[in-house]
Amino acid sequence: PVLVETRHQLVREQGRVLVLEANRDVTERRAAEERLRAREAQARLALDIAELGSWRHDPATGLVALDDRMRAI
């Protein structure tokens, strides 16, 4: 199936109300989002099985974010 994102806007012109509509095929974007969700679930499962944690570092701010398991380690 093709997934479509639709946006509408009402416009008044010469005393009439017009509906402007824009449609965009989002099939590939949705499929990519689903693949990403599946990979994230696999990564979480692997971390859970191995009893490991994860962390992220933002070089621009120097901030480090730890998940709950990493904090416990």
Side-chain angles (χ1 to χ4, degrees):
V2 175
L3 300 173
V4 177
E5 179 180 86
T6 302
R7 297 189 183 244
H8 299 89
Q9 182 178 354
L10 296 177
V11 177
R12 292 187 187 276
E13 184 175 304
Q14 299 177 357
R16 298 184 309 170
V17 177
L18 305 173
V19 177
L20 298 178
E21 180 177 293
N23 297 301
R24 179 173 35 176
D25 181 346
V26 293
T27 306
E28 181 52 38
R29 185 182 81 201
R30 294 283 174 89
E33 290 169 349
E34 182 55 37
R35 288 189 303 269
L36 178 59
R37 278 191 290 276
R39 286 187 194 120
E40 288 172 342
Q42 286 177 328
R44 280 192 302 276
L45 180 60
L47 288 172
D48 288 345
I49 290 170
E51 297 184 352
L52 295 174
S54 66
W55 58 277
R56 292 183 311 275
H57 174 248
D58 183 344
T61 65
L63 294 176
V64 176
L66 308 174
D67 70 3
D68 291 338
R69 187 167 282 142
M70 190 62 142
R71 274 192 223 90
I73 295 173

